[in-house]
Amino acid sequence: SNELVVHFNEPVVTHTFNSSALVLLANTTSPVHIRIQGSLVKTSAARANTVTLALSETDLLAIKLDSHLGTSVNNTWMIADRGVALDTVGLASEPLQPIQAVEHTESVISARLVGFVFNASAQQLILTFNGLIVASTFQPNVVVVQSDADIRDGGEALALTTSMVQPQNGYVQVIDLSIADQIALGTNPKLATSVSNCYITLSGT
Protein backbone atom coordinates (compact mmCIF):
# COMPACT_ATOMS: atom_id res chain seq x y z
CA SER A 1 0.00 0.00 0.00
CA ASN A 2 3.12 2.27 -0.16
CA GLU A 3 2.70 3.43 3.43
CA LEU A 4 4.91 3.86 6.46
CA VAL A 5 3.08 3.48 9.78
CA VAL A 6 4.70 5.00 12.88
CA HIS A 7 3.51 4.11 16.39
CA PHE A 8 4.01 6.33 19.46
CA ASN A 9 3.65 5.50 23.15
CA GLU A 10 1.30 8.47 23.60
CA PRO A 11 -0.87 10.63 21.33
CA VAL A 12 0.85 13.22 19.13
CA VAL A 13 -0.61 16.18 17.24
CA THR A 14 -0.63 14.78 13.73
CA HIS A 15 -0.29 18.07 11.85
CA THR A 16 3.05 18.66 13.62
CA PHE A 17 4.49 15.40 12.30
CA ASN A 18 7.70 16.01 10.35
CA SER A 19 8.35 13.04 8.07
CA SER A 20 11.81 14.32 7.08
CA ALA A 21 12.93 13.63 10.66
CA LEU A 22 12.66 9.89 9.95
CA VAL A 23 15.55 7.79 8.68
CA LEU A 24 15.25 4.18 7.56
CA LEU A 25 18.19 1.85 8.25
CA ALA A 26 19.16 -1.64 7.12
CA ASN A 27 20.25 -2.48 10.68
CA THR A 28 21.64 -0.79 13.79
CA THR A 29 25.21 -0.49 12.47
CA SER A 30 24.85 -0.38 8.69
CA PRO A 31 25.78 2.82 6.82
CA VAL A 32 22.87 2.09 4.46
CA HIS A 33 20.12 4.60 5.24
CA ILE A 34 17.33 6.57 3.58
CA ARG A 35 15.99 9.84 4.97
CA ILE A 36 12.30 10.22 4.23
CA GLN A 37 11.57 13.10 1.85
CA GLY A 38 8.22 14.46 0.78
CA SER A 39 5.99 11.74 2.24
CA LEU A 40 2.67 13.09 3.53
CA VAL A 41 0.61 12.30 6.61
CA LYS A 42 -2.56 10.35 5.77
CA THR A 43 -3.92 10.16 9.32
CA SER A 44 -7.04 12.36 9.56
CA ALA A 45 -7.37 12.45 13.35
CA ALA A 46 -5.99 15.58 15.03
CA ARG A 47 -4.36 13.49 17.75
CA ALA A 48 -3.29 9.87 17.44
CA ASN A 49 -0.87 7.26 18.73
CA THR A 50 -0.38 5.99 15.18
CA VAL A 51 0.57 8.15 12.21
CA THR A 52 0.36 6.78 8.68
CA LEU A 53 2.48 8.28 5.91
CA ALA A 54 1.80 8.00 2.19
CA LEU A 55 5.29 7.47 0.81
CA SER A 56 6.32 9.88 -1.93
CA GLU A 57 7.61 8.72 -5.30
CA THR A 58 11.10 9.84 -4.26
CA ASP A 59 10.99 7.72 -1.11
CA LEU A 60 9.46 4.72 -2.85
CA LEU A 61 12.15 4.74 -5.51
CA ALA A 62 14.94 5.09 -2.96
CA ILE A 63 13.61 2.10 -1.01
CA LYS A 64 12.91 0.04 -4.12
CA LEU A 65 16.39 0.64 -5.55
CA ASP A 66 18.13 -0.52 -2.36
CA SER A 67 17.96 -4.30 -2.13
CA HIS A 68 19.60 -4.25 1.32
CA LEU A 69 16.93 -2.17 3.04
CA GLY A 70 13.20 -2.45 3.50
CA THR A 71 12.73 -5.91 1.99
CA SER A 72 11.73 -7.59 5.27
CA VAL A 73 11.38 -6.93 9.00
CA ASN A 74 15.01 -8.02 9.43
CA ASN A 75 16.45 -5.14 7.39
CA THR A 76 13.91 -2.45 8.21
CA TRP A 77 14.92 -0.22 11.11
CA MET A 78 14.21 3.43 11.86
CA ILE A 79 15.63 6.33 13.82
CA ALA A 80 14.08 9.77 14.27
CA ASP A 81 15.43 13.22 15.03
CA ARG A 82 14.20 15.10 18.06
CA GLY A 83 10.85 16.76 17.44
CA VAL A 84 9.45 14.43 14.79
CA ALA A 85 6.10 15.42 16.35
CA LEU A 86 4.66 17.35 19.30
CA ASP A 87 2.62 15.67 22.00
CA THR A 88 -0.74 16.99 23.16
CA VAL A 89 0.85 19.51 25.57
CA GLY A 90 3.28 20.84 22.98
CA LEU A 91 6.42 18.96 23.99
CA ALA A 92 8.71 17.76 21.21
CA SER A 93 9.34 14.04 20.93
CA GLU A 94 12.73 12.73 22.00
CA PRO A 95 15.22 11.39 19.44
CA LEU A 96 14.49 7.79 18.54
CA GLN A 97 17.28 5.26 18.74
CA PRO A 98 17.26 2.45 16.15
CA ILE A 99 14.06 0.46 16.39
CA GLN A 100 13.11 -2.53 14.25
CA ALA A 101 9.91 -2.70 12.22
CA VAL A 102 7.24 -4.87 13.80
CA GLU A 103 5.63 -5.65 10.46
CA HIS A 104 6.60 -5.59 6.79
CA THR A 105 3.98 -6.14 4.10
CA GLU A 106 5.05 -6.85 0.54
CA SER A 107 3.02 -5.37 -2.27
CA VAL A 108 1.05 -8.14 -3.98
CA ILE A 109 0.06 -5.95 -6.94
CA SER A 110 2.45 -5.74 -9.89
CA ALA A 111 2.82 -2.54 -11.85
CA ARG A 112 0.45 -2.54 -14.82
CA LEU A 113 0.79 -0.83 -18.20
CA VAL A 114 -1.88 1.89 -18.40
CA GLY A 115 -0.93 3.75 -21.55
CA PHE A 116 1.71 4.31 -24.22
CA VAL A 117 2.80 6.65 -27.00
CA PHE A 118 4.57 5.60 -30.20
CA ASN A 119 6.75 8.51 -31.29
CA ALA A 120 7.47 7.60 -34.90
CA SER A 121 9.75 10.59 -35.55
CA ALA A 122 11.94 9.83 -32.53
CA GLN A 123 11.52 6.05 -32.97
CA GLN A 124 10.54 5.62 -29.34
CA LEU A 125 7.88 3.80 -27.37
CA ILE A 126 6.93 5.67 -24.20
CA LEU A 127 5.19 3.37 -21.72
CA THR A 128 3.26 4.55 -18.65
CA PHE A 129 2.68 2.23 -15.69
CA ASN A 130 0.51 2.54 -12.58
CA GLY A 131 3.46 1.64 -10.35
CA LEU A 132 7.13 2.53 -10.07
CA ILE A 133 9.48 0.67 -12.42
CA VAL A 134 13.22 0.20 -11.90
CA ALA A 135 14.55 0.65 -15.43
CA SER A 136 17.35 -1.91 -15.04
CA THR A 137 14.75 -4.63 -14.37
CA PHE A 138 12.58 -3.83 -17.38
CA GLN A 139 13.28 -5.92 -20.48
CA PRO A 140 12.08 -4.36 -23.76
CA ASN A 141 11.81 -7.78 -25.40
CA VAL A 142 8.59 -8.42 -23.44
CA VAL A 143 6.93 -5.66 -25.47
CA VAL A 144 4.78 -6.84 -28.37
CA VAL A 145 3.37 -4.35 -30.88
CA GLN A 146 0.05 -5.52 -32.36
CA SER A 147 -2.31 -4.40 -35.11
CA ASP A 148 -5.36 -5.20 -32.97
CA ALA A 149 -6.20 -5.49 -29.29
CA ASP A 150 -6.89 -9.20 -29.81
CA ILE A 151 -5.02 -11.00 -32.57
CA ARG A 152 -6.18 -14.54 -31.81
CA ASP A 153 -8.41 -14.42 -34.89
CA GLY A 154 -5.76 -12.87 -37.10
CA GLY A 155 -3.71 -9.70 -37.16
CA GLU A 156 -0.10 -8.64 -37.09
CA ALA A 157 2.27 -8.76 -34.11
CA LEU A 158 5.93 -7.93 -33.57
CA ALA A 159 7.95 -8.62 -30.42
CA LEU A 160 10.82 -6.18 -29.87
CA THR A 161 14.25 -7.76 -30.11
CA THR A 162 17.26 -5.47 -29.66
CA SER A 163 15.66 -2.20 -28.54
CA MET A 164 16.95 -0.55 -25.36
CA VAL A 165 15.21 1.10 -22.39
CA GLN A 166 16.52 4.46 -21.17
CA PRO A 167 18.08 4.39 -17.66
CA GLN A 168 15.36 6.30 -15.83
CA ASN A 169 13.33 4.94 -12.93
CA GLY A 170 9.69 5.85 -12.42
CA TYR A 171 6.19 5.45 -13.79
CA VAL A 172 7.30 6.15 -17.37
CA GLN A 173 9.72 3.96 -19.32
CA VAL A 174 11.15 5.11 -22.65
CA ILE A 175 12.28 2.50 -25.17
CA ASP A 176 14.61 3.56 -27.98
CA LEU A 177 13.83 1.33 -30.93
CA SER A 178 16.82 -0.45 -32.45
CA ILE A 179 17.49 -0.30 -36.17
CA ALA A 180 16.32 -3.90 -36.51
CA ASP A 181 13.02 -3.17 -34.76
CA GLN A 182 12.57 0.07 -36.72
CA ILE A 183 12.97 -1.86 -39.98
CA ALA A 184 10.60 -4.60 -38.86
CA LEU A 185 7.92 -2.06 -37.97
CA GLY A 186 8.57 0.21 -40.93
CA THR A 187 8.27 -2.56 -43.50
CA ASN A 188 4.93 -3.85 -42.21
CA PRO A 189 2.15 -1.62 -43.62
CA LYS A 190 -0.42 -3.26 -41.34
CA LEU A 191 1.36 -2.44 -38.10
CA ALA A 192 1.74 0.84 -36.18
CA THR A 193 0.96 3.15 -39.08
CA SER A 194 -1.80 4.91 -37.09
CA VAL A 195 -3.58 4.72 -33.73
CA SER A 196 -6.04 2.24 -35.24
CA ASN A 197 -3.43 -0.46 -35.75
CA CYS A 198 -1.03 0.24 -32.90
CA TYR A 199 -1.59 -1.75 -29.71
CA ILE A 200 0.84 -3.05 -27.12
CA THR A 201 0.87 -6.10 -24.88
CA LEU A 202 3.55 -7.32 -22.50
CA SER A 203 4.40 -10.99 -22.94
CA GLY A 204 4.39 -13.09 -19.79
CA THR A 205 2.12 -10.68 -17.86
Side-chain angles (χ1 to χ4, degrees):
S1 57
N2 300 334
E3 294 176 343
L4 180 65
V5 182
V6 183
H7 303 284
F8 292 87
N9 64 348
E10 63 176 296
V12 298
V13 180
T14 55
H15 79 265
T16 68
F17 192 91
N18 176 19
S19 62
S20 63
L22 302 178
V23 179
L24 297 179
L25 307 170
N27 56 56
T28 57
T29 58
S30 172
V32 177
H33 66 277
I34 295 171
R35 182 172 288 276
I36 299 299
Q37 303 177 54
S39 294
L40 301 176
V41 173
K42 288 183 64 177
T43 304
S44 58
R47 295 172 175 78
N49 287 71
T50 299
V51 176
T52 301
L53 297 178
L55 292 172
S56 67
E57 180 176 343
T58 298
D59 293 331
L60 284 171
L61 268 177
I63 296 168
K64 195 168 186 178
L65 287 170
D66 196 326
S67 61
H68 301 291
L69 188 157
T71 62
S72 70
V73 167
N74 293 333
N75 64 1
T76 306
W77 293 70
M78 187 174 69
I79 60 175
D81 301 335
R82 177 181 175 81
V84 66
L86 301 181
D87 66 15
T88 55
V89 295
L91 296 178
S93 60
E94 293 296 322
L96 177 68
Q97 298 304 309
I99 185 171
Q100 190 174 16
V102 296
E103 183 179 349
H104 181 280
T105 304
E106 287 283 353
S107 173
V108 295
I109 301 175
S110 299
R112 180 171 56 85
L113 181 67
V114 294
F116 77 96
V117 172
F118 175 40
N119 186 332
S121 59
Q123 290 299 305
Q124 291 178 331
L125 281 170
I126 304 166
L127 312 185
T128 301
F129 294 84
N130 66 346
L132 293 169
I133 301 294
V134 177
S136 62
T137 68
F138 183 71
Q139 301 299 319
N141 59 9
V142 304
V143 177
V144 179
V145 183
Q146 301 180 176
S147 59
D148 300 279
D150 187 345
I151 58 170
R152 287 177 295 182
D153 296 325
E156 300 290 321
L158 173 73
L160 300 186
T161 56
T162 55
S163 296
M164 302 290 290
V165 65
Q166 293 186 5
Q168 59 187 27
N169 305 308
Y171 291 91
V172 176
Q173 296 296 301
V174 179
I175 297 173
D176 294 315
L177 295 178
S178 65
I179 296 298
D181 289 335
Q182 290 181 39
I183 292 172
L185 280 174
T187 55
N188 189 332
K190 298 180 179 180
L191 193 61
T193 59
S194 69
V195 294
S196 63
N197 64 359
C198 189
Y199 295 80
I200 279 183
T201 58
L202 302 181
S203 63
T205 60

